[in-house]
Amino acid sequence: MTILGPRSAAREHLIPHFTPESIWSEDQWPVLDRGDGAYVWTVDGERFLDGLSGLFCNNLGHGRTDLVEAMTTQAARLPFGPCWGMTHTAAIAAADAVTGFAPAGLDRVFFVSSGSEAVESAIKLARCFHVANDEPQRTTVIARRWAYHGTTLGALSATGIPKLRAPFEPLLRGVVHAANTREVDDPALAIEDAILAAGPETVSMVLAEPVQNGGGALVPPPGYWEELRAICDRHGVLLCADEVITGFGRIGASFASERFAARPDLMTFAKGVTSAYVPMGGVITTDALVDRITSSPMGSFLHGSTFGAHPIAAAVAVATIDALRREAIPERVREREPALRARLADLTAAHDCVGEVRGCGFFYAIELTQSRARGVALTPEQSGELLGGLLTRWIWEEHLLIRADDRGATMLVIAPPLTSDDAVLTELLDAVSRILDRVDAYVARLGS
Ligand code: PLP
Protein backbone atom coordinates (compact mmCIF):
# COMPACT_ATOMS: atom_id res chain seq x y z
CA MET A 1 0.00 0.00 0.00
CA THR A 2 1.32 3.45 -0.90
CA ILE A 3 1.12 5.98 1.90
CA LEU A 4 0.35 9.37 0.41
CA GLY A 5 1.61 12.64 1.86
CA PRO A 6 -1.16 15.08 2.82
CA ARG A 7 -0.81 17.12 -0.39
CA SER A 8 -0.92 14.09 -2.66
CA ALA A 9 -3.84 12.76 -0.62
CA ALA A 10 -5.62 16.10 -1.04
CA ARG A 11 -5.10 15.96 -4.80
CA GLU A 12 -6.66 12.47 -4.92
CA HIS A 13 -10.19 13.51 -3.95
CA LEU A 14 -10.43 17.18 -2.98
CA ILE A 15 -11.44 19.97 -5.36
CA PRO A 16 -10.03 23.19 -3.88
CA HIS A 17 -11.77 26.56 -4.10
CA PHE A 18 -10.21 29.18 -6.41
CA THR A 19 -6.78 27.49 -6.35
CA PRO A 20 -4.74 27.64 -9.56
CA GLU A 21 -3.50 24.26 -10.74
CA SER A 22 0.03 25.73 -10.85
CA ILE A 23 -0.12 25.96 -7.04
CA TRP A 24 -2.20 22.84 -6.31
CA SER A 25 0.07 20.61 -8.35
CA GLU A 26 3.14 21.69 -6.38
CA ASP A 27 3.98 20.78 -2.81
CA GLN A 28 4.48 24.20 -1.28
CA TRP A 29 1.07 25.14 0.08
CA PRO A 30 0.24 24.93 3.75
CA VAL A 31 -1.94 22.09 5.03
CA LEU A 32 -3.40 23.47 8.24
CA ASP A 33 -3.78 21.23 11.20
CA ARG A 34 -4.47 23.34 14.31
CA GLY A 35 -4.67 26.89 15.51
CA ASP A 36 -4.27 29.05 18.59
CA GLY A 37 -5.04 32.78 18.72
CA ALA A 38 -3.65 34.46 15.60
CA TYR A 39 -1.46 31.45 14.70
CA VAL A 40 -2.02 28.22 12.80
CA TRP A 41 0.24 25.18 12.54
CA THR A 42 0.63 23.01 9.45
CA VAL A 43 0.90 19.24 9.34
CA ASP A 44 4.65 19.82 8.89
CA GLY A 45 4.73 21.47 12.33
CA GLU A 46 5.39 24.95 10.94
CA ARG A 47 3.74 27.96 12.58
CA PHE A 48 2.08 30.63 10.40
CA LEU A 49 0.74 34.02 11.47
CA ASP A 50 -2.79 34.30 10.11
CA GLY A 51 -2.79 37.86 8.81
CA LEU A 52 -6.06 37.43 6.91
CA SER A 53 -8.16 35.91 9.73
CA GLY A 54 -8.69 32.87 7.51
CA LEU A 55 -10.74 34.62 4.85
CA PHE A 56 -11.60 37.83 6.79
CA CYS A 57 -13.69 35.69 9.13
CA ASN A 58 -11.88 34.06 12.05
CA ASN A 59 -12.08 37.41 13.78
CA LEU A 60 -11.64 36.27 17.40
CA GLY A 61 -8.80 33.91 16.58
CA HIS A 62 -8.47 30.18 17.18
CA GLY A 63 -8.84 28.21 20.39
CA ARG A 64 -11.73 30.14 21.97
CA THR A 65 -13.17 27.93 24.67
CA ASP A 66 -16.27 30.16 24.96
CA LEU A 67 -17.21 29.51 21.32
CA VAL A 68 -16.42 25.80 21.51
CA GLU A 69 -18.50 25.50 24.66
CA ALA A 70 -21.44 27.25 22.99
CA MET A 71 -21.20 24.73 20.14
CA THR A 72 -21.01 21.63 22.28
CA THR A 73 -23.71 22.75 24.71
CA GLN A 74 -26.10 23.45 21.86
CA ALA A 75 -25.17 20.23 20.04
CA ALA A 76 -25.99 18.24 23.16
CA ARG A 77 -29.27 20.09 23.72
CA LEU A 78 -30.73 20.40 20.18
CA PRO A 79 -28.33 19.85 17.27
CA PHE A 80 -30.94 20.63 14.66
CA GLY A 81 -34.35 22.23 14.45
CA PRO A 82 -35.97 23.93 11.45
CA CYS A 83 -36.66 27.64 11.24
CA TRP A 84 -39.32 26.69 8.71
CA GLY A 85 -42.92 26.44 9.88
CA MET A 86 -41.58 26.68 13.44
CA THR A 87 -38.40 27.81 15.13
CA HIS A 88 -36.17 27.05 18.14
CA THR A 89 -34.77 28.84 21.16
CA ALA A 90 -31.26 29.24 19.69
CA ALA A 91 -32.61 31.08 16.62
CA ILE A 92 -34.65 33.42 18.82
CA ALA A 93 -31.60 34.22 20.95
CA ALA A 94 -29.40 34.77 17.86
CA ALA A 95 -31.97 37.07 16.23
CA ASP A 96 -32.08 39.11 19.42
CA ALA A 97 -28.26 39.27 19.63
CA VAL A 98 -27.66 40.12 15.95
CA THR A 99 -30.33 42.82 15.69
CA GLY A 100 -29.21 44.21 19.07
CA PHE A 101 -25.69 44.59 17.65
CA ALA A 102 -26.93 46.14 14.37
CA PRO A 103 -27.62 49.85 13.83
CA ALA A 104 -30.92 51.16 15.23
CA GLY A 105 -33.92 50.55 13.00
CA LEU A 106 -32.69 47.21 11.61
CA ASP A 107 -34.74 44.89 13.79
CA ARG A 108 -35.42 41.75 11.76
CA VAL A 109 -32.99 39.08 10.60
CA PHE A 110 -33.23 36.16 8.17
CA PHE A 111 -30.50 33.57 8.73
CA VAL A 112 -28.72 31.52 6.04
CA SER A 113 -25.36 29.74 5.91
CA SER A 114 -22.98 31.89 3.83
CA GLY A 115 -22.33 35.34 2.41
CA SER A 116 -23.43 34.35 -1.09
CA GLU A 117 -26.72 33.08 0.28
CA ALA A 118 -27.08 36.29 2.30
CA VAL A 119 -26.74 38.36 -0.88
CA GLU A 120 -29.18 36.11 -2.75
CA SER A 121 -31.63 36.47 0.15
CA ALA A 122 -31.31 40.26 0.10
CA ILE A 123 -32.00 40.32 -3.66
CA LYS A 124 -35.12 38.18 -3.15
CA LEU A 125 -36.28 40.10 -0.07
CA ALA A 126 -36.08 43.38 -2.00
CA ARG A 127 -38.00 41.90 -4.91
CA CYS A 128 -40.73 40.54 -2.61
CA PHE A 129 -41.04 44.01 -1.08
CA HIS A 130 -41.60 45.55 -4.51
CA VAL A 131 -44.08 42.82 -5.46
CA ALA A 132 -45.96 43.58 -2.23
CA ASN A 133 -46.01 47.25 -3.27
CA ASP A 134 -47.50 46.40 -6.68
CA GLU A 135 -44.23 47.23 -8.40
CA PRO A 136 -43.13 43.78 -9.62
CA GLN A 137 -41.19 45.39 -12.46
CA ARG A 138 -38.57 46.62 -9.96
CA THR A 139 -36.05 43.84 -10.50
CA THR A 140 -32.80 45.59 -11.46
CA VAL A 141 -29.89 45.56 -9.00
CA ILE A 142 -27.27 48.29 -9.20
CA ALA A 143 -23.91 46.96 -7.97
CA ARG A 144 -20.39 48.28 -8.52
CA ARG A 145 -17.48 47.30 -10.71
CA TRP A 146 -14.88 45.02 -9.10
CA ALA A 147 -17.20 44.27 -6.16
CA TYR A 148 -17.27 40.73 -4.78
CA HIS A 149 -20.69 39.61 -3.57
CA GLY A 150 -20.21 35.85 -3.78
CA THR A 151 -20.16 33.00 -6.26
CA THR A 152 -23.55 31.26 -6.39
CA LEU A 153 -25.20 32.28 -9.64
CA GLY A 154 -27.45 35.01 -8.19
CA ALA A 155 -24.70 36.48 -6.04
CA LEU A 156 -22.20 36.10 -8.89
CA SER A 157 -24.53 38.20 -11.05
CA ALA A 158 -23.94 41.02 -8.57
CA THR A 159 -20.18 40.37 -8.41
CA GLY A 160 -18.38 42.78 -10.72
CA ILE A 161 -15.14 40.90 -11.33
CA PRO A 162 -14.97 40.06 -15.04
CA LYS A 163 -12.85 36.91 -14.89
CA LEU A 164 -15.07 35.31 -12.22
CA ARG A 165 -18.19 35.99 -14.29
CA ALA A 166 -17.01 35.17 -17.79
CA PRO A 167 -17.38 31.36 -17.83
CA PHE A 168 -20.89 31.58 -16.38
CA GLU A 169 -22.52 34.09 -18.69
CA PRO A 170 -25.39 34.60 -19.18
CA LEU A 171 -26.00 35.44 -15.53
CA LEU A 172 -29.11 36.94 -13.88
CA ARG A 173 -30.54 39.60 -16.16
CA GLY A 174 -30.90 43.09 -14.79
CA VAL A 175 -27.73 43.63 -12.78
CA VAL A 176 -26.00 46.86 -13.72
CA HIS A 177 -22.44 47.59 -12.60
CA ALA A 178 -21.71 51.24 -11.91
CA ALA A 179 -18.40 52.89 -11.01
CA ASN A 180 -16.94 52.15 -7.59
CA THR A 181 -15.64 54.87 -5.27
CA ARG A 182 -12.15 54.76 -6.76
CA GLU A 183 -13.05 55.02 -10.42
CA VAL A 184 -14.70 58.43 -10.69
CA ASP A 185 -14.71 61.78 -8.89
CA ASP A 186 -18.40 61.63 -7.99
CA PRO A 187 -19.20 57.96 -7.37
CA ALA A 188 -22.65 58.66 -5.87
CA LEU A 189 -23.62 60.45 -9.08
CA ALA A 190 -22.49 57.37 -11.02
CA ILE A 191 -24.99 55.29 -9.04
CA GLU A 192 -27.78 57.77 -9.73
CA ASP A 193 -26.87 57.85 -13.43
CA ALA A 194 -27.10 54.05 -13.52
CA ILE A 195 -30.56 54.17 -11.90
CA LEU A 196 -31.71 56.79 -14.40
CA ALA A 197 -30.29 54.86 -17.35
CA ALA A 198 -31.98 51.63 -16.23
CA GLY A 199 -35.27 53.49 -15.65
CA PRO A 200 -35.86 54.24 -11.95
CA GLU A 201 -39.23 52.46 -11.96
CA THR A 202 -37.40 49.17 -12.82
CA VAL A 203 -34.73 49.36 -10.13
CA SER A 204 -35.05 47.19 -7.03
CA MET A 205 -31.96 47.98 -5.00
CA VAL A 206 -28.46 49.38 -4.81
CA LEU A 207 -25.98 46.84 -3.41
CA ALA A 208 -22.59 48.02 -2.13
CA GLU A 209 -19.93 47.04 0.40
CA PRO A 210 -19.19 49.90 2.81
CA VAL A 211 -15.46 49.22 2.26
CA GLN A 212 -15.12 47.43 -1.08
CA ASN A 213 -12.66 44.54 -1.06
CA GLY A 214 -12.30 44.13 -4.86
CA GLY A 215 -10.12 47.00 -6.04
CA GLY A 216 -8.40 47.03 -2.64
CA ALA A 217 -10.13 48.11 0.59
CA LEU A 218 -11.88 51.08 -1.01
CA VAL A 219 -12.97 53.41 1.80
CA PRO A 220 -15.94 55.58 0.76
CA PRO A 221 -15.37 59.33 0.42
CA PRO A 222 -17.06 61.51 3.07
CA GLY A 223 -20.80 61.81 2.52
CA TYR A 224 -21.02 58.92 0.00
CA TRP A 225 -23.45 56.78 1.99
CA GLU A 226 -25.64 59.76 2.92
CA GLU A 227 -25.84 60.56 -0.79
CA LEU A 228 -26.69 56.95 -1.65
CA ARG A 229 -29.51 57.11 0.91
CA ALA A 230 -30.88 60.31 -0.62
CA ILE A 231 -30.60 58.90 -4.18
CA CYS A 232 -32.39 55.67 -3.23
CA ASP A 233 -35.15 57.63 -1.47
CA ARG A 234 -35.59 59.86 -4.51
CA HIS A 235 -36.18 56.88 -6.78
CA GLY A 236 -38.03 54.44 -4.49
CA VAL A 237 -35.03 52.09 -4.54
CA LEU A 238 -33.86 49.98 -1.56
CA LEU A 239 -30.30 50.34 -0.27
CA CYS A 240 -28.35 47.23 0.78
CA ALA A 241 -24.98 47.36 2.55
CA ASP A 242 -23.03 44.13 2.02
CA GLU A 243 -21.30 43.82 5.40
CA VAL A 244 -20.03 40.26 4.92
CA ILE A 245 -16.44 41.41 5.57
CA THR A 246 -17.03 44.70 7.36
CA GLY A 247 -19.59 43.55 9.95
CA PHE A 248 -18.92 42.49 13.53
CA GLY A 249 -16.01 44.77 14.33
CA ARG A 250 -13.65 44.47 11.34
CA ILE A 251 -13.51 48.20 10.68
CA GLY A 252 -13.65 49.39 14.29
CA ALA A 253 -17.42 49.65 14.71
CA SER A 254 -20.15 47.05 15.19
CA PHE A 255 -20.91 47.41 11.46
CA ALA A 256 -19.35 49.72 8.87
CA SER A 257 -22.81 51.21 8.30
CA GLU A 258 -22.49 52.63 11.82
CA ARG A 259 -19.09 54.16 11.07
CA PHE A 260 -20.02 55.65 7.70
CA ALA A 261 -23.50 56.85 8.72
CA ALA A 262 -25.08 54.56 6.13
CA ARG A 263 -28.75 54.01 6.72
CA PRO A 264 -29.39 50.89 4.62
CA ASP A 265 -32.75 49.14 4.31
CA LEU A 266 -30.94 45.82 4.20
CA MET A 267 -27.59 44.65 5.53
CA THR A 268 -26.00 41.33 4.58
CA PHE A 269 -23.54 39.57 6.89
CA ALA A 270 -21.70 36.23 7.29
CA LYS A 271 -18.05 35.42 8.20
CA GLY A 272 -17.49 37.22 11.53
CA VAL A 273 -20.97 36.60 12.95
CA THR A 274 -19.68 33.29 14.34
CA SER A 275 -16.01 34.20 14.09
CA ALA A 276 -16.10 31.44 11.44
CA TYR A 277 -16.31 28.64 14.01
CA VAL A 278 -19.39 27.42 12.08
CA PRO A 279 -20.96 28.73 8.86
CA MET A 280 -23.66 31.36 9.17
CA GLY A 281 -24.88 34.35 7.18
CA GLY A 282 -27.97 36.44 6.95
CA VAL A 283 -29.75 39.62 6.02
CA ILE A 284 -30.94 42.20 8.52
CA THR A 285 -33.74 44.58 7.63
CA THR A 286 -36.50 46.80 8.95
CA ASP A 287 -39.85 45.97 10.55
CA ALA A 288 -41.54 48.03 7.83
CA LEU A 289 -40.05 46.00 4.99
CA VAL A 290 -40.94 42.63 6.52
CA ASP A 291 -44.41 43.76 7.59
CA ARG A 292 -45.14 45.00 4.08
CA ILE A 293 -44.34 41.53 2.68
CA THR A 294 -46.15 39.50 5.33
CA SER A 295 -49.29 41.67 5.10
CA SER A 296 -49.39 41.30 1.28
CA PRO A 297 -51.13 38.42 -0.52
CA MET A 298 -47.73 36.61 -0.48
CA GLY A 299 -48.19 36.27 3.27
CA SER A 300 -44.52 35.43 3.93
CA PHE A 301 -41.02 35.82 2.56
CA LEU A 302 -41.06 33.04 -0.05
CA HIS A 303 -37.56 31.78 0.63
CA GLY A 304 -35.88 29.28 2.91
CA SER A 305 -33.17 26.66 3.39
CA THR A 306 -32.70 23.60 5.57
CA PHE A 307 -29.75 24.99 7.48
CA GLY A 308 -30.99 28.58 7.87
CA ALA A 309 -30.67 29.57 11.56
CA HIS A 310 -28.98 26.24 12.34
CA PRO A 311 -29.07 25.89 16.15
CA ILE A 312 -25.32 25.35 16.56
CA ALA A 313 -24.50 28.34 14.36
CA ALA A 314 -27.09 30.39 16.20
CA ALA A 315 -25.56 29.49 19.58
CA VAL A 316 -22.07 30.41 18.36
CA ALA A 317 -23.39 33.73 17.00
CA VAL A 318 -24.75 34.58 20.45
CA ALA A 319 -21.42 33.64 22.08
CA THR A 320 -19.46 35.63 19.46
CA ILE A 321 -21.52 38.77 19.98
CA ASP A 322 -21.21 38.34 23.77
CA ALA A 323 -17.42 38.22 23.33
CA LEU A 324 -17.38 41.23 20.97
CA ARG A 325 -19.25 43.23 23.62
CA ARG A 326 -17.45 41.87 26.68
CA GLU A 327 -13.99 42.41 25.21
CA ALA A 328 -15.01 45.70 23.53
CA ILE A 329 -13.51 44.40 20.27
CA PRO A 330 -14.82 47.08 17.87
CA GLU A 331 -13.57 49.78 20.25
CA ARG A 332 -10.16 48.11 20.57
CA VAL A 333 -9.82 47.90 16.80
CA ARG A 334 -10.68 51.58 16.50
CA GLU A 335 -8.13 52.45 19.23
CA ARG A 336 -5.36 50.51 17.49
CA GLU A 337 -6.16 51.89 14.05
CA PRO A 338 -3.98 55.04 14.28
CA ALA A 339 -0.89 53.02 15.26
CA LEU A 340 -1.54 50.49 12.52
CA ARG A 341 -1.98 53.24 9.93
CA ALA A 342 1.18 54.97 11.12
CA ARG A 343 3.13 51.75 10.70
CA LEU A 344 1.65 51.24 7.23
CA ALA A 345 2.65 54.81 6.36
CA ASP A 346 6.22 53.99 7.49
CA LEU A 347 6.20 50.91 5.24
CA THR A 348 5.05 53.07 2.35
CA ALA A 349 7.77 55.65 2.95
CA ALA A 350 10.42 52.92 3.10
CA HIS A 351 9.32 51.11 -0.09
CA ASP A 352 9.14 52.67 -3.54
CA CYS A 353 7.03 49.69 -4.70
CA VAL A 354 4.08 50.74 -2.52
CA GLY A 355 1.72 52.80 -4.66
CA GLU A 356 -0.88 53.39 -2.00
CA VAL A 357 -2.22 51.87 1.20
CA ARG A 358 -6.00 51.93 1.60
CA GLY A 359 -8.36 50.69 4.26
CA CYS A 360 -9.42 51.23 7.85
CA GLY A 361 -9.90 49.31 11.08
CA PHE A 362 -8.15 45.95 10.65
CA PHE A 363 -8.63 45.77 6.85
CA TYR A 364 -5.99 47.13 4.45
CA ALA A 365 -4.79 46.76 0.86
CA ILE A 366 -1.21 47.61 -0.05
CA GLU A 367 -1.24 48.42 -3.76
CA LEU A 368 2.02 47.65 -5.52
CA THR A 369 3.61 49.70 -8.25
CA GLN A 370 6.99 49.76 -10.00
CA SER A 371 8.09 53.11 -8.61
CA ARG A 372 5.96 55.50 -6.59
CA ALA A 373 8.69 58.16 -6.77
CA ARG A 374 8.85 58.06 -10.56
CA GLY A 375 5.13 57.43 -11.02
CA VAL A 376 5.72 54.20 -12.98
CA ALA A 377 3.16 51.38 -12.73
CA LEU A 378 4.00 47.68 -12.83
CA THR A 379 4.00 46.31 -16.36
CA PRO A 380 1.43 43.58 -17.06
CA GLU A 381 4.35 41.10 -17.21
CA GLN A 382 5.62 42.18 -13.77
CA SER A 383 2.11 41.97 -12.28
CA GLY A 384 1.66 38.59 -13.90
CA GLU A 385 4.89 37.27 -12.43
CA LEU A 386 4.30 38.71 -8.98
CA LEU A 387 0.74 37.40 -8.80
CA GLY A 388 1.54 34.21 -10.67
CA GLY A 389 3.43 32.79 -7.69
CA LEU A 390 6.28 35.05 -6.57
CA LEU A 391 4.30 37.00 -3.95
CA THR A 392 2.61 33.90 -2.58
CA ARG A 393 5.98 32.15 -2.26
CA TRP A 394 7.51 35.13 -0.45
CA ILE A 395 4.48 35.33 1.85
CA TRP A 396 4.73 31.66 2.76
CA GLU A 397 8.51 31.94 3.27
CA GLU A 398 7.69 34.53 5.94
CA HIS A 399 5.35 31.97 7.56
CA LEU A 400 2.54 34.38 6.98
CA LEU A 401 -0.98 33.99 5.61
CA ILE A 402 -2.08 37.13 3.76
CA ARG A 403 -3.52 37.54 0.28
CA ALA A 404 -1.77 38.51 -2.93
CA ASP A 405 -4.72 39.92 -4.88
CA ASP A 406 -5.17 40.69 -8.56
CA ARG A 407 -8.72 42.04 -8.45
CA GLY A 408 -8.58 45.55 -9.84
CA ALA A 409 -4.95 46.12 -8.81
CA THR A 410 -1.82 44.23 -7.76
CA MET A 411 -2.06 44.11 -3.99
CA LEU A 412 -1.26 42.55 -0.69
CA VAL A 413 -4.32 42.41 1.52
CA ILE A 414 -4.10 42.17 5.29
CA ALA A 415 -6.91 41.65 7.79
CA PRO A 416 -5.56 40.26 11.07
CA PRO A 417 -7.75 38.78 13.80
CA LEU A 418 -9.47 41.57 15.72
CA THR A 419 -7.99 40.21 18.94
CA SER A 420 -4.40 40.73 17.69
CA ASP A 421 -2.22 42.53 20.23
CA ASP A 422 0.72 44.85 19.51
CA ALA A 423 3.19 41.96 19.35
CA VAL A 424 1.14 40.15 16.69
CA LEU A 425 0.63 43.33 14.64
CA THR A 426 4.36 44.14 14.83
CA GLU A 427 5.29 40.62 13.73
CA LEU A 428 2.81 40.89 10.85
CA LEU A 429 4.07 44.26 9.62
CA ASP A 430 7.73 43.29 9.99
CA ALA A 431 7.06 40.30 7.74
CA VAL A 432 5.15 42.48 5.25
CA SER A 433 8.09 44.89 5.25
CA ARG A 434 10.50 42.10 4.28
CA ILE A 435 8.13 41.02 1.47
CA LEU A 436 8.07 44.61 0.20
CA ASP A 437 11.91 44.64 0.32
CA ARG A 438 11.78 41.68 -2.07
CA VAL A 439 9.29 43.44 -4.36
CA ASP A 440 11.56 46.50 -4.45
CA ALA A 441 14.56 44.29 -5.24
CA TYR A 442 12.57 42.45 -7.94
CA VAL A 443 11.56 45.60 -9.82
CA ALA A 444 15.04 47.13 -9.37
CA ARG A 445 16.65 44.00 -10.83
CA LEU A 446 14.36 44.09 -13.87
CA GLY A 447 14.97 47.79 -14.37
CA SER A 448 18.77 47.52 -14.27
N1 PLP B 1 -20.10 39.49 0.05
C1 PLP B 1 -18.88 39.94 0.36
C2 PLP B 1 -18.66 41.40 0.56
C3 PLP B 1 -17.81 39.04 0.52
O1 PLP B 1 -16.57 39.50 0.82
C4 PLP B 1 -18.05 37.65 0.35
C5 PLP B 1 -16.96 36.68 0.50
O2 PLP B 1 -15.81 36.99 0.67
C6 PLP B 1 -19.34 37.25 0.01
C7 PLP B 1 -20.34 38.18 -0.13
C8 PLP B 1 -19.62 35.79 -0.21
O3 PLP B 1 -19.51 35.09 0.99
P1 PLP B 1 -19.33 33.49 1.00
O4 PLP B 1 -17.96 33.20 0.53
O5 PLP B 1 -19.56 33.13 2.45
O6 PLP B 1 -20.40 32.93 0.12
Side-chain angles (χ1 to χ4, degrees), residues 12 18 79 82 86 111 139 161-162 205 207 212 301 330 357-358 360:
E12 287 270 294
F18 285 126
M86 64 184 79
F111 287 115
T139 56
I161 300 173
M205 75 174 188
L207 172 66
Q212 185 173 304
F301 178 34
V357 174
R358 294 184 291 275
C360 58

Side-chain angles (χ1 to χ4, degrees), residues 99-378:
T99 56
F101 203 63
L106 295 171
D107 292 323
R108 303 279 191 101
V109 58
F110 182 84
F111 287 115
V112 290
S113 310
S114 72
S116 296
E117 266 190 274
V119 168
E120 302 247 355
S121 303
I123 293 172
K124 290 180 77 173
L125 200 47
R127 285 181 60 165
C128 281
F129 174 73
H130 295 304
V131 169
N133 279 338
D134 284 331
E135 292 192 288
Q137 80 289 350
R138 283 193 180 269
T139 56
T140 298
V141 174
I142 310 290
R144 301 181 302 178
R145 289 197 281 271
W146 291 105
Y148 186 86
H149 294 293
T151 49
T152 53
L153 286 172
L156 182 62
S157 306
T159 288
I161 300 173
K163 81 168 180 193
L164 301 187
R165 298 169 54 88
F168 305 102
E169 301 280 2
L171 286 159
L172 207 65
R173 277 182 295 122
V175 180
V176 173
H177 288 96
N180 62 49
T181 55
R182 196 178 182 213
E183 290 177 315
V184 289
D185 290 337
D186 191 342
L189 187 65
I191 299 287
E192 183 156 38
D193 284 347
I195 293 174
L196 292 171
E201 70 290 348
T202 67
V203 179
S204 172
M205 75 174 188
V206 169
L207 172 66
E209 295 154 87
V211 179
Q212 185 173 304
N213 188 21
L218 305 180
V219 177
Y224 178 72
W225 278 90
E226 285 98 323
E227 281 184 62
L228 289 191
R229 180 70 271 169
I231 290 166
C232 287
D233 287 346
R234 234 182 342 266
H235 299 295
V237 170
L238 295 172
L239 179 58
C240 180
D242 185 352
E243 295 246 17
V244 166
I245 287 181
T246 52
F248 299 97
R250 169 66 50 201
I251 57 90
S254 57
F255 285 86
S257 291
E258 200 82 75
R259 177 160 175 177
F260 298 117
R263 287 183 300 109
D265 303 291
L266 304 131
M267 216 165 63
T268 48
F269 65 92
K271 298 189 187 273
V273 62
T274 53
S275 195
Y277 275 57
V278 278
M280 182 174 239
V283 50
I284 316 174
T285 188
T286 61
D287 283 334
L289 193 143
V290 177
D291 291 345
R292 187 74 199 87
I293 294 170
T294 52
S295 64
S296 78
M298 269 177 293
S300 70
F301 178 34
L302 292 168
H303 187 46
S305 69
T306 305
F307 290 146
H310 190 283
I312 297 174
V316 178
V318 171
T320 300
I321 293 167
D322 275 354
L324 289 170
R325 286 188 190 283
R326 202 175 49 246
E327 295 167 33
I329 300 285
E331 294 81 359
R332 271 171 41 110
V333 168
R334 194 66 181 266
E335 270 163 32
R336 283 174 199 273
E337 181 178 314
L340 193 49
R341 292 176 89 106
R343 188 70 213 283
L344 286 163
D346 291 345
L347 286 189
T348 307
H351 296 94
D352 196 27
C353 67
V354 177
E356 193 180 33
V357 174
R358 294 184 291 275
C360 58
F362 273 19
F363 177 25
Y364 294 92
I366 301 168
E367 182 165 351
L368 303 177
T369 188
Q370 194 177 132
S371 166
R372 183 180 68 253
R374 289 183 287 117
V376 184
L378 291 168

